[in-house]
Amino acid sequence: MDCGGVFVKYVLFIFNILFVICGILLITFGSIMVSTIKDFSGVGETFTANSVAIIILVLGCVVFLVAFMGCCGAIRENACALTSYSVVMLVLLVSQLALIIYVWVDHVQIQQSLEKIVQTIWDQRKTDALLMDTLQRSFKCCGLNGFSDYGITYPASCCDSPSNGTCGLAQVMSRSSCLRAVDSFWDTNVSIIKYAGLGVTAVELVAFIFACCLANQTRNSQRRQNY
């Protein structure tokens, strides 16, 4: 293999090491989102919000496995593995673009679904206080629109150190409303999904091109050896 082929081989190997790391980060990020939302699985609107987190988690697993296959194919110079890697990488690239476009276009709808979840949990607090308590502990918030929604008695989930099952005014004044906390959670995560996703997709495109070049060069080298 000439110098150009060796260069492509090791660049592709380094790219796939980065993809392995990206896959692990996506798995971690998706797991955090799923674990945060799963506590509210009894609410009907959870499906729309939870589907994005599950897709990210599955995508992370696929990226990890494909990147591992790419590392093996590049180092062993296996044309079959590299071709399979290129095809799967193309499908993965298109899938990621579709996810990014979906989040970019429908991020307001997903945010509204999250807000409906919060509203439903608030409306059901008298019959199912556990969900509201879980929400307030998870997001460090108090009340639907603020701690004043509770009047003068604040539940223990509104602060870190309750006394006699309730929180004092000084303890809850620093807590934002649960609607605002959930909106902030989504705004932070949607930016990560969009911009980090675009960066990963750009690197995947380069890896796809390099894998095609290396697979073609490997096949040509094998043909020359047969003559």
Side-chain angles (χ1 to χ4, degrees), residues 75 88 132 174 191 201:
I75 288 299
V88 176
M132 193 65 203
S174 60
S191 297
T201 303

Side-chain angles (χ1 to χ4, degrees), residues 32-44:
I32 291 171
M33 288 190 69
V34 169
S35 64
T36 302
I37 299 174
K38 74 177 178 62
D39 294 327
F40 316 111
S41 57
V43 183

